[in-house]
Amino acid sequence: MTVVAVSAPAVSLEGVSKRHGVGNASAAALQDICLNNAAGELGCIVGASGCGKTTLLNLLAGLDTPSAGTLQVSTGSAEDQPIFAGFARKFPHELSSGMRQRVALARALAQNAQLLLMDEPFDALDAISRDLLHDDSSDFG
């Protein structure tokens, strides 16, 4: 198993597997995943609940390590924080869950990161906002 951080903006997975547990009690969350995303390329991971989408995002984010395979992810930095007019001096607990989600999305987008990982980013929004953002995001695909 090898995890390498590279400076080029790209994602590469070759034969990546992730097992949870030990020995006979272990379960495969991901098995032999191969994926390559070039700089500026948009990718979406779609699948049924429990198929390993979040596990894959955790591997890409460096929050977990693969059980097997090679994973290369570009590195980036985050320095700027967006300010919402009228909400700049509010604490997170003073915002609605939808507003907290909007702030989290804005912070992620404002970083101009080389890699942006989102796990159900519109989930906490109300139906109207979720539909609007979904329509806006389809312009990128």
Side-chain angles (χ1 to χ4, degrees), residues 9-120:
V11 172
S12 176
L13 289 82
E14 297 298 330
V16 170
S17 297
K18 178 63 182 176
R19 295 191 71 80
H20 297 290
V22 180
N24 291 337
S26 69
L30 299 171
Q31 188 165 337
D32 199 27
I33 303 295
C34 297
L35 169 74
N36 289 294
N37 256 42
E41 192 173 35
L42 175 68
C44 295
I45 302 164
V46 180
S49 180
C51 74
K53 299 180 301 289
T54 299
T55 298
L56 181 57
L57 289 176
N58 286 338
L59 293 175
L60 292 171
L63 299 174
D64 204 351
T65 56
S67 303
T70 302
L71 169 66
Q72 295 180 330
V73 180
S74 65
T75 58
S77 62
E79 297 174 358
D80 297 327
Q81 300 296 321
I83 297 175
F84 280 68
F87 297 100
R89 300 198 189 286
K90 298 284 185 186
F91 288 99
H93 72 273
E94 296 176 305
L95 301 175
S96 69
S97 61
M99 184 53 82
R100 284 194 302 268
Q101 190 75 359
R102 287 181 187 89
V103 170
L105 283 169
R107 289 179 66 196
L109 295 171
Q111 293 176 34
N112 198 22
Q114 294 178 4
L115 178 65
L116 181 60
L117 303 172
M118 298 188 291
D119 191 358
E120 301 190 27

